[in-house]
Amino acid sequence: MSAALDIKDIRAGYGAVNVLWDVSLSVEAGTTTAILGPNGAGKSTLLRAIMGLVTVSQGDIVVDSCARTGTSTWNMVNEGVVMVPEGRMVFRDMTVEDNLLMGAFPKRTRPRAQANLKTVYQRFPRLSERRRQLAGSLSGGEAQMLALGRGLMEEPRIFLVDEPSLGLAPVIVDEIFAGLRQLKEEGRTIVLVEQNTYKALSVADYVYLMQAGKIVMSQVAADVDVDHLHDLYFARKTGSEH
Ligand SMILES: Nc1ncnc2c1ncn2[C@@H]1O[C@H](COP(=O)(O)OP(=O)(O)OP(=O)(O)O)[C@@H](O)[C@H]1O
Ligand SMILES: [Mg+2]
């Protein structure tokens, strides 16, 4: 159900502009890894590189010991590597249920679409109540639940979630993180991009800090000293001073 992810020394970017500089990252199956870092650090670019949405010019992406560098996005999804993008990206003119069913488009998951739909509704009852409503009329928090639900319809073995808390009220953020914690407890592999350090640390097993396209710190979440992390985050000190 869950898979391991290994990223080795990747470089990737947009056309002539390179963004990721020799980024390496190792995620054990069934664990949650948080990627923290300020705006523009390259967090979303890293997720896009894993998904084959930006070109990787160097390095390797390995899923459960199989090299997947250069694999198309479509095939990554077929391998169970699923991304919930930054900004939610729901189909506003479609109903909640049709948005979820879009997540069941890959042939691999289609036979289980109805069962998966039921599970998503149990996980996020608000979506069930609004199943016939257009996604464009949802609140930010509901739209985020929908984006997560659509991802879950794809039966992720590695679930990449980009900034689920962005712009949401604290009570909704708690609800979203309770959902993520439940997924973790069920043994999913999760890679979570977040700017909310405390929330990320509350769910993660392992933490990476990115800055200017590089990993500047990696640590077991339980060992993280938040003050030190924030010093690095805001570039008040360099990683080598410690
Ligand atoms: N489509 C694009 N074309 C060109 N450059 C891009 C594109 N998307 C992002 N970039 C650049 O890549 C760098 C990293 O951006 P990225 O979106 O990966 O950062 P991020 O860490 O996700 O930031 P945020 O926290 O704001 O989401 C930035 O300098 C950004 O301007
Ligand atoms: Mg981003």
Side-chain angles (χ1 to χ4, degrees), residues 14 19 37-46 48 86 162-163 195:
Y14 304 92
V19 172
N39 294 122
K43 307 179 299 295
S44 298
T45 303
L46 174 57
R48 289 183 202 128
E86 185 175 22
D162 198 348
E163 302 219 32
Q195 291 204 38

Side-chain angles (χ1 to χ4, degrees), residues 19-32:
V19 172
L20 303 179
W21 296 96
D22 308 326
V23 169
S24 296
L25 179 94
S26 189
V27 181
E28 259 179 66
T31 65
T32 298

Side-chain angles (χ1 to χ4, degrees), residues 93-211:
D93 297 334
M94 289 168 60
T95 64
V96 165
E97 187 147 307
D98 284 344
N99 265 274
L100 290 173
L101 289 171
M102 286 300 284
F105 192 72
K107 232 181 190 157
R108 177 176 65 88
T109 64
R110 254 183 254 171
R112 289 175 300 282
Q114 287 306 319
N116 289 338
L117 194 59
K118 209 171 141 196
T119 312
V120 168
Y121 285 148
Q122 279 164 353
R123 203 180 294 274
F124 298 115
R126 281 162 185 259
L127 296 182
S128 175
E129 290 159 21
R130 292 162 177 76
R131 63 175 81 188
R132 309 264 167 253
Q133 198 170 313
L134 292 184
S137 66
L138 295 178
S139 71
E142 290 159 359
Q144 185 64 60
M145 288 173 201
L146 180 56
L148 288 165
R150 185 181 55 198
L152 291 171
M153 294 290 290
E154 292 165 71
E155 300 182 352
R157 296 165 68 225
I158 297 176
F159 202 30
L160 312 174
V161 185
D162 198 348
E163 302 219 32
S165 74
L166 196 70
L168 302 181
V171 55
I172 306 293
V173 173
D174 287 348
E175 216 173 307
I176 300 284
F177 270 80
L180 290 173
R181 202 163 296 116
Q182 200 186 343
L183 289 171
K184 171 196 159 109
E185 278 157 18
E186 289 166 14
R188 302 242 185 205
T189 308
I190 302 174
V191 179
L192 171 68
V193 165
E194 256 300 334
Q195 291 204 38
N196 187 332
T197 317
Y198 292 99
K199 276 289 162 198
L201 286 172
S202 76
V203 67
D205 298 296
Y206 213 85
V207 175
Y208 288 82
L209 177 63
M210 273 189 90
Q211 234 161 21

